[in-house]
Every structure is written in C-alpha cells, then in structure tokens.
Amino acid sequence: MSELKGIGESEPTSAVAPGAVSGETSKGASKAASKAASGPVPGAVDVRALTALAETHHARAVRPLGTREIAGHLVKVYAIEAPGRVVAEREEASALRVAGPHLELGRARGSLGLAVLILHAGGDGDYVLVQTWVEASMSDLAVFLGPAGRPDELRPGRVGLAPCVWEAAVLAHERDAYVRNVLDGTGPMGERLAAWGADVTAGHLR
C-alpha cells in the first residue's frame, strides 16, 4: 500500500556518505539490523512461553478426506490429528453438520462456492475450520471449537481466533492449489475444479 504525501512534501532521499555506494549502505543497514535483532528482547516478547512451545513442537498427521458438496459448495475436507487422537466418522459427521448452516449463508458473504473444511483433533480440544473463497480474491474463515472427543459440543470460536501452525500449513497448501488450478488453470472450469479437488496435501506437517 503506498503512502499518501501531503501537499508540498518531497520524495524521501537516502543519505549516503561521500564515496559510499548503495551496496555498501545496504550491507551496513543489514549489519545494523542483525545487531538489533540480537540485542535485548522487547518486553512484549514472552521468551518463556516461546521456549516452551519450541521444546514441545511436533509433527501432526494430515489426511485428505475427499471433496464433498455441502450447501451448494464444493468442499475439500481434511483431518489433522494430534498424537494419540483420531478423527473418526462421528467427528467427521459433526463437522459436516456445523459447516452446513455456515455455508448456506455463503452468498451473503460473497462466496464463490469453493471451500476447505479442516477437522482438527487437537491436544487441547477439537477444532473445525471452514475457509471459503470469496469475491475479489479474498477468503472468509470461520472457526468452531469444543472439548476433545465431544463433537456435539462444537461452538463458534471467539472473534479474532485464527488458524494454528498445523492448520495454517494446510491452508497455505490450499492457497497455492486454488491459484494453481483455478485462477491460473487452463481449460473449462469443470476441469479446473476437478484438478483443484485432487490437489491435496498429506503426511506429517510441522
């Protein structure tokens, strides 16, 4: 996003010492930035919490569960499983029930009819994410959560709740799959959508 300049303001100029070249200036700035990064940690950075997260970080299994039609949308479904957790048919059925009413209102939010549904059996609870591709190359995200192993108690998450690192990994793949197959794809749209549905990620993601 470009900055707006006030009337009479001039374009900013970079100060370069006599005899210096721009490359030398860039190197100096890089060294200064590196030195600043290794200096004192700002007060808002929770070093203890970050260290604890780093020490316990692990891979989680990701499985594609196929593409379904839900409330008139084509929905690509995934399961993410924390160690010791499994997404079974009961959890999958509950997630589909949660996604249905949400997707029925999709047109009001500019939905283009394509969505990704993630069922995450987490270590601290169950999560269902519904990301819908909407107008103007944007997306709409809804997050539902509930106690682990009690899928009938899934409820909308708080405002501002966003994907965790594992969910974000799946959505990162889905962003690329959408661009690769639908926006940049060739041929009839039906063929592009078939390619999009087949373009999945799986395995153990960190």
Side-chain angles (χ1 to χ4, degrees):
M1 182 181 297
S2 62
E3 294 181 357
L4 297 176
K5 297 182 177 60
I7 297 176
E9 289 186 5
S10 60
E11 289 288 338
T13 58
S14 57
V16 180
V21 295
S22 60
E24 292 174 345
T25 304
S26 298
K27 290 178 181 177
S30 178
K31 289 180 180 178
S34 177
K35 184 176 180 181
S38 62
V41 177
V45 178
D46 193 332
V47 174
R48 181 177 298 178
L50 288 172
T51 301
L53 283 173
E55 291 173 347
T56 58
H57 185 60
H58 57 275
R60 293 196 174 180
V62 175
R63 296 186 289 120
L65 300 179
T67 301
R68 319 291 179 80
E69 183 175 338
I70 306 173
H73 287 63
L74 282 178
V75 184
K76 197 186 297 186
V77 184
Y78 285 95
I80 301 178
E81 298 163 336
R85 298 291 314 281
V86 175
V87 173
E89 290 184 7
R90 181 186 175 210
E91 286 76 21
E92 185 176 349
S94 293
L96 297 178
R97 283 197 299 271
V98 166
H102 174 75
L103 291 173
E104 286 175 358
L105 298 174
R107 292 293 183 189
R109 296 191 304 276
S111 171
L112 297 174
L114 301 181
V116 179
L117 173 62
I118 298 176
L119 296 66
H120 187 178
D124 59 350
D126 290 340
Y127 301 84
V128 171
L129 283 72
V130 185
Q131 179 186 282
T132 312
W133 293 110
V134 299
E135 59 195 2
S137 297
M138 297 188 294
S139 63
D140 175 89
L141 179 69
V143 180
F144 303 85
L145 53 88
R150 288 148 65 181
D152 293 336
E153 297 182 32
L154 287 168
R155 298 291 183 272
R158 63 172 175 78
V159 174
L161 189 62
C164 72
V165 293
W166 298 283
E167 296 155 358
V170 174
L171 293 178
H173 168 85
E174 284 303 314
R175 178 268 174 198
D176 291 344
Y178 177 64
V179 171
R180 179 167 49 244
N181 297 293
V182 180
L183 302 185
D184 290 342
T186 58
M189 186 53 65
E191 293 179 3
R192 299 190 198 188
L193 296 180
W196 168 78
D199 190 342
V200 298
T201 185
H204 287 79
L205 302 182
R206 297 188 64 82

